[in-house]
Amino acid sequence: MKVGAVRPLSQIGIFILFFLVPLFNIFRIDLIQLKFFVFGRSFGFNEGYILLLCVLLMVFIFVGISKWFGRQFCGWMCPHNTFSVSITKITHSKTLKESPALRKNIDVGLSILFAPVIAFSMVAYFFDPIVLIKEILSFEWKSWSFGAYVILVVFFFIMIFPLRSNFCRNACPYGMFQMILSDKESKSGGVKNMFRGTGLLLLIIVLSLFSLLGYSIFSASGFSATIEKQLQGVPSGDFVTYTYILKIQNNQNEPMNYKVRYEGMPSSWEVKLPDQIQVEPANTHGETIMFRIDQSSLNKSHNINMVITSQNRHIIEKKLTIFPVAGK
């Protein structure tokens, strides 16, 4: 296939991918539910090392592209450049050449039409797209996501209509970064640059990060656990009661059963402890944990270790420290 045919296919493919990535959870960070998605799988922030690997991989890929191919990202992959060039071709076509007023109206109309679509896709990288659609349609102006959406609509209208390619030439951070890394070899060498000098080192780093990310995703626990305080030091006869909520977030796409084992509790305590917790797919479920602590255990520090095991044998350990004091 000739380069002339590959380039528009690359531009269209990357442009479409920009919209599909958050919709299909290929990569998305949910700031409300405090989890992130990679290749369709969800992870809690307790597995933030996977998110870090994703960010590092993207950084080194963008650095590598500049070193391997020079300033080719803008012309081959940048969604903003692809969209700007397409709009410009439409508004400067032969049909509209002799109608400046009509050309400007179409230009403004296309900017008004596409700015909300692009803004939606951008917010969807950080918020549930389905919930975002509902908030936009119902005009939930008190929601921070709706506010962010409105601000981005204005921002992208300015990017599309008045600025367009001027942003790429004068303000794009990555465009400037490409100028720094680009040299004679990157301008002419192409794929060969991936296998020599600094380009080879970058290729090794990218492949290593990709392999490590794949292993981390495959070996991830797929769930997270938190412990929240409830009653603290409430007198009850000869005992003092402490209660907590053990919450388990299931990041899998199927219901999961979790077994809980407790270590380090004095035998004199009266307890109510769940030993199994069932959680629905992509959901969170909490169970109450109760410790009725006898008088001999007061004013002493006690470390309770909770070992939570999923049905696919992944383990998370949580430590709970209790320093019981009567009436507190």
Side-chain angles (χ1 to χ4, degrees):
M1 187 178 291
K2 296 181 179 180
V3 174
V6 174
R7 182 170 176 173
L9 289 176
S10 172
Q11 292 174 322
I12 294 171
I14 296 297
F15 186 73
I16 294 174
L17 194 62
F18 170 77
F19 294 97
L20 296 183
V21 164
L23 294 179
F24 290 93
N25 291 329
I26 298 172
F27 180 76
R28 181 170 71 83
I29 302 172
D30 196 315
L31 297 178
I32 299 298
Q33 298 185 26
L34 297 181
K35 59 184 180 181
F36 60 95
F37 298 82
V38 183
F39 298 132
R41 289 191 59 183
S42 62
F43 303 90
F45 279 180
N46 66 306
E47 295 174 313
Y49 63 93
I50 296 177
L51 180 59
L52 176 61
L53 287 173
C54 289
V55 173
L56 287 175
L57 179 60
M58 287 187 285
V59 168
F60 277 99
I61 285 176
F62 282 116
V63 172
I65 289 173
S66 299
K67 191 63 181 176
W68 298 328
F69 307 107
R71 302 187 63 184
Q72 298 300 315
F73 177 85
C74 299
W76 285 71
M77 301 177 68
C78 177
H80 174 70
N81 184 65
T82 299
F83 187 72
S84 297
V85 170
S86 299
I87 293 286
T88 302
K89 285 182 178 180
I90 293 173
T91 56
H92 288 75
S93 62
K94 292 181 180 180
T95 306
L96 300 175
K97 186 177 181 180
E98 298 179 359
S99 304
L102 179 60
R103 182 172 65 241
K104 185 175 181 179
N105 289 335
I106 292 177
D107 201 346
V108 173
L110 289 174
S111 301
I112 293 174
L113 177 65
F114 284 102
V117 178
I118 298 173
F120 168 81
S121 184
M122 184 60 70
V123 177
Y125 276 89
F126 304 96
F127 193 78
D128 189 332
I130 304 301
V131 176
L132 180 59
I133 289 176
K134 293 179 180 178
E135 290 186 354
I136 293 172
L137 294 178
S138 59
F139 202 74
E140 293 286 343
W141 60 273
K142 292 184 178 180
S143 169
W144 75 264
S145 54
F146 182 81
Y149 170 74
V150 172
I151 292 172
L152 284 176
V153 168
V154 176
F155 172 78
F156 282 113
F157 175 80
I158 295 172
M159 286 277 288
I160 296 170
F161 180 58
L163 294 181
R164 201 160 295 173
S165 298
N166 289 326
F167 172 82
C168 302
R169 288 192 294 266
N170 304 313
C172 177
Y174 185 62
M176 298 177 184
F177 183 73
Q178 286 183 107
M179 292 179 64
I180 296 173
L181 288 181
S182 182
D183 52 27
K184 291 182 179 180
E185 290 185 353
S186 61
K187 291 177 181 178
S188 59
V191 175
K192 294 180 181 179
N193 286 328
M194 300 175 71
F195 302 97
R196 61 187 180 189
T198 306
L200 177 59
L201 177 61
L202 287 169
L203 178 62
I204 293 172
I205 293 174
V206 167
L207 293 177
S208 299
L209 286 171
F210 187 80
S211 300
L212 187 57
L213 175 62
Y215 173 78
S216 299
I217 292 174
F218 178 78
S219 60
S221 63
F223 73 100
S224 60
T226 57
I227 301 173
E228 297 180 0
K229 292 181 180 180
Q230 280 194 312
L231 299 178
Q232 298 289 289
V234 178
S236 178
D238 295 330
F239 295 87
V240 177
T241 301
Y242 283 74
T243 62
Y244 301 82
I245 295 290
L246 173 59
K247 289 186 176 181
I248 296 180
Q249 178 177 307
N250 177 16
N251 296 320
Q252 304 290 330
N253 295 322
E254 57 181 341
M256 297 290 288
N257 186 55
Y258 302 92
K259 294 183 179 180
V260 188
R261 188 174 78 254
Y262 305 86
E263 301 171 346
M265 285 182 303
S267 58
S268 57
W269 292 11
E270 293 182 1
V271 297
K272 179 183 177 183
L273 308 173
D275 56 3
Q276 292 193 42
I277 299 177
Q278 182 81 21
V279 188
E280 294 301 311
N283 213 327
T284 301
H285 182 72
E287 291 282 350
T288 300
I289 298 173
M290 184 184 72
F291 303 99
R292 298 187 71 228
I293 301 171
D294 65 307
Q295 297 293 319
S296 64
S297 298
L298 297 181
N299 302 313
K300 300 176 184 178
S301 182
H302 302 273
N303 294 317
I304 312 300
N305 193 44
M306 303 181 188
V307 182
I308 307 166
T309 307
S310 66
Q311 64 188 50
N312 52 11
R313 301 185 180 280
H314 289 294
I315 296 174
I316 288 180
E317 294 190 21
K318 304 294 289 186
K319 182 175 288 187
L320 175 63
T321 300
I322 304 176
F323 191 92
V325 179
K328 293 186 180 179

